[in-house]
Amino acid sequence: MTTLEKAKKGEVAVRGLSKSFALKGQPLAVLRDLNLNIRAGESLAIVGPSGCGKTTLLRVLAGLEAPDSGEVLIDGAKVGGVGRERAIIFQEPRLLPWLNVLRNVGFGLEMRGLPRDRAEAHARRYIRLVGLAEFEEAYPRQLSGGMAQRVGIARALTVQPEILLLDEPLGALDAMTKLTMQEELARIWREEQVTLILVTHDLEEAIFLADRVLVLPKEKGAVPRLINVELPRPRDRNDTVFVAMRRQLMAEFGLH
Amino acid sequence: MTFQTIDPPLRLPALPVLSSRAGALARAGLKRFGLLGGFLLFWQVAATNGWINPTIFPPLDTIIAALWNSLTSGAYMDDIAISLQRAGLAYGAAILLGIPLGLFMGQIKPLEQALDPILQFFRQTSALALYPVFILLLGLGEASKVFVIFWATLFPILLATIGGVKEVDRKLVEMAQTFGAARLTIFRRIILPASVPAIFVGLRLSATTALLLLIAAEMIGANKGLGFQVMNAQYNFQIPQMFAAIILLALFGLAANALLVALQRRLCRWSELAR
């Protein structure tokens, strides 16, 4: 697969998507008639207060949940479940405690039918990419939170997805590890040329990583908004435009 | 590596200061087995001095001599063989039925929910209380003995396996699903390895139960076996022989547990790893 071919793929279209949950017998609409186009290779962040449906949207995109109505198209094809062109990184690393780092990273490829030795050969490349080459033989219990999350990221990258779906991937990490990991995600996105869809509640993280930020409202009837982040990369958190942008986005949520 | 102690360590004044590695090992051994050693010493001294009735509690050297005699003369060989056969058959059958059934039931929720009340009821029913029923059904021979042990060992294994499967982190299963794993693959690669530690809890519990039930079954209507020998020695007032058989049984229990622990260490090293 050439880079050119790959760069063209990974386009996501959301058409009239609605999803509601039953809460105490009452249906609660979390997503209502959402329309969205995500370009191939774009980096989109989804932010919003808790309960706004951002994780639900990501799970529908992942194919882990079916929408009540509407559809999701990936490269023009309708989504009906999980697919090979997508990989998900969860908030928790979700590593298998009985496998070492190398086998955990190769696990995704093994699930897709590759023999173990070939899966591990691919895995090694991505273990290096996330900077864990020395820890190939370590078991998850021996890793710190940040290292474990990097293993999870490497596992998702190893299957070479066109679309990388991230559900608050850095939410559980400490502040310092988080900053490092944001830099790493920016680098990985640039190097791997994937479509990146990131759910986060960290507004700075959204501005740092995304081309566009989708703001989902909590109030019923309010419409989701898309904000363009037109900042040069690599981005500097202390840049005046960056800071102004963060302030503007925080104001959206009533924070100052 | 050096350890710095903040509080001065407690030391018995009579003991010489032990600082070498061998000394540390001896101290650890003393901590762990000192009380047991003291108890055995007390038994020996009390029995030889007549503080306790030596006809009921013979001195340890007499018991050990009796144990040695019966082992070297081969007097207990038949009993050991038949006892191991009974317990082994029953335990093996309980494993062969309990683990697969538990793995299956743990995954099918309606089945598990429907069978759980029955299982709980059976588990609470003492296998010994059911022994007369088994004797009525299977006669007083080997079949009823093996079956009562099987019955008692089946439930801990079955329930532990079901519990283990139910406790498997659904998030790991979901993770595998996102990579397109099929149901059978998820079972083989996630559910089975994740359940192994819980299964071992059941296996170890059942091993103890197997020996317990073995003795009880051999005390009723048997003419061979270690349980029979304990009973028989008591009837004939061969008290050292009785204690010899009891010690032998205890050693079997320890050996079975040690074997299972070793196997568990091998299979689930990951669950013990710490940072």
Side-chain angles (χ1 to χ4, degrees), chain A residues 59 64 82 88 90 92 94-99 103 107-108 110-112 139 141-144 155 159, chain B residues 170-172 174-181 185 189-191 193-194 269-275:
Chain A
R59 289 179 64 85
L64 288 170
V82 296
I88 301 123
F90 300 96
E92 329 78 29
R94 302 198 185 183
L95 305 180
L96 303 176
W98 51 88
L99 298 182
R103 293 211 65 194
F107 184 78
E110 275 192 67
M111 289 301 101
R112 294 198 175 170
Y139 282 84
R141 294 225 168 158
Q142 299 168 301
L143 304 175
S144 69
R155 180 179 58 198
V159 299
Chain B
R170 303 315 299 172
K171 289 180 168 177
L172 292 181
E174 192 182 71
M175 180 277 293
Q177 278 167 347
T178 66
F179 289 111
T185 315
R189 297 296 303 271
I190 311 264
I191 292 171
R269 220 170 334 156
W270 55 269
S271 70
E272 290 171 5
L273 286 172
R275 233 187 270 168

Side-chain angles (χ1 to χ4, degrees), chain B residues 75-84 86 131 140 142 145 149 210-239 241-246 248-249 252:
Chain B
Y76 278 172
M77 280 309 145
D78 279 358
D79 301 296
I80 292 172
I82 194 93
S83 285
L84 287 182
R86 282 167 185 153
Y131 191 31
L140 202 50
E142 287 304 297
K145 287 185 179 45
I149 304 169
L211 285 173
L212 202 77
L213 265 287
L214 171 74
I215 306 318
E218 286 180 343
M219 285 181 172
I220 303 165
N223 52 19
K224 259 197 200 118
L226 282 173
F228 163 75
Q229 288 300 349
V230 173
M231 219 48 190
N232 195 42
Q234 191 249 322
Y235 282 144
N236 298 323
F237 220 69
Q238 298 170 307
I239 303 305
Q241 278 79 353
M242 182 187 83
F243 277 109
I246 290 173
L248 216 50
L249 280 165
F252 277 128

Side-chain angles (χ1 to χ4, degrees), chain A residues 155-170:
Chain A
R155 180 179 58 198
L157 291 172
T158 304
V159 299
Q160 295 188 295
E162 297 159 13
I163 301 162
L164 203 54
L165 303 161
L166 302 100
D167 185 9
E168 300 184 25
L170 313 180

